[in-house]
Every structure is written in structure tokens, then in C-alpha cells.
Amino acid sequence: MAPGTAASVSAAYGTMVYLVSVAGGWLADRIYEDRLHAEEGEALPDLQAG
């Protein structure tokens, strides 16, 4: 593989990893936020007691 092509592939991969993680975080905040906060609220007394 030519060095320029390899650099382009590496840059595209790095960009996609970043963008997918940002999109996943946004999606998790929008969809799972209420459920996760409820689970955190249930776990908090257990952590304080232990």
C-alpha cells in the first residue's frame, strides 16, 4: 500500500472511531438517560451502606 493511501485509511479510521463514539454518547443520553438515572438512584443507597 502506498504511504499516502495508508495515511488516508488511518485518518479515516480515526475519524470514524471518534464520530461513532460521539454519536453513541448522544444516543445514550437521549434514549437511555432516564433508565440509567433510575438505576443509579437504586444503587446509591447500597454504596453508602457498604
Side-chain angles (χ1 to χ4, degrees):
M1 183 180 293
T5 304
S8 295
V9 169
S10 178
Y13 176 76
T15 301
M16 289 305 297
V17 166
Y18 175 74
L19 290 177
V20 167
S21 66
V22 169
W26 178 83
L27 199 73
D29 282 344
R30 296 291 178 194
I31 294 176
Y32 298 114
E33 182 178 11
D34 294 333
R35 184 170 53 137
L36 290 177
H37 286 298
E39 291 173 2
E40 289 170 1
E42 293 170 0
L44 191 57
D46 293 336
L47 294 175
Q48 291 174 344

